[in-house]
Amino acid sequence: MSRGQEKHQKRVNELMMLGKDLARRAHSKCELCASTGVSLAAYEVSPVPAEPDIDKTVFICDVCSEQIDNPKLMNAHHWHCLSASVWSSTPVVQVVAVRMLERLIDCEGWAEDLYDQLYLEPEIQLWVSDT
Ligand SMILES: [Zn+2]
C-alpha cells in the first residue's frame, strides 16, 4: 500500500469509529433526505478538519452523497427534502442543506421561495460560504 492509500485508509477507519455516534444523532435516517432502511455513510463537509470531527460530518445516503459530489447528476425532485433539512438544529446538516439549496435557486421556484424564508445564524452563513 502506498503512503497516500495508508493515510486514506486511516481516515476511513477513523470515520467508521464516528459511525455509531452519527447513527445515534441521525436516528438511522439520512440526515438530508430522511430516507430510512438505506445504507448511510459518514460524509465529511468542507472545509475538512485535520482530524475527523462528528460536528463536521453528516450521515447521509448514497443518493444524497452522489449528487453532492456530482452537481451534473442533481435531480431537483430529490432535493425537496431540503425544505425540512435547512431548518436542522444540527449546524453541519444545515450547512450542507443550504449549500445544496443554493445550487437549485436559479432553476427551481420552490428553492428560491425556501431560500427567501431562510434565516441563518451569522456563523452558519460564514460556514456555508467557506468551501
Ligand atoms: Zn439522503
Side-chain angles (χ1 to χ4, degrees), residues 30-35 40 60-65 78-79 81:
C30 173
E31 287 189 295
L32 286 174
C33 72
S35 286
L40 299 169
I60 58 174
C61 73
D62 293 346
V63 177
C64 285
S65 63
H78 178 75
W79 296 100
C81 60

Side-chain angles (χ1 to χ4, degrees), residues 32-33 45 84 110 126:
L32 286 174
C33 72
V45 176
W110 63 264
L126 273 175

Side-chain angles (χ1 to χ4, degrees), residues 49-121:
E51 296 294 327
D53 181 342
I54 190 166
D55 294 326
K56 301 286 164 65
T57 305
V58 288
F59 204 49
I60 58 174
C61 73
D62 293 346
V63 177
C64 285
S65 63
E66 192 179 29
Q67 294 187 39
I68 292 172
D69 288 338
N70 301 287
K72 282 185 197 140
L73 299 180
M74 287 274 288
N75 170 0
H77 184 72
H78 178 75
W79 296 100
H80 282 276
C81 60
L82 293 176
S83 60
S85 42
V86 288
W87 303 109
S88 174
S89 55
T90 307
V92 66
V93 174
Q94 191 175 30
V95 165
V96 181
V98 173
R99 284 180 184 166
M100 294 311 283
L101 187 65
E102 286 182 341
R103 286 193 200 169
L104 295 162
I105 44 180
D106 290 336
C107 44
E108 296 289 322
W110 63 264
E112 204 181 343
D113 293 344
L114 180 59
Y115 198 76
D116 287 345
Q117 291 166 31
L118 209 54
Y119 172 78
L120 298 176
E121 297 292 340

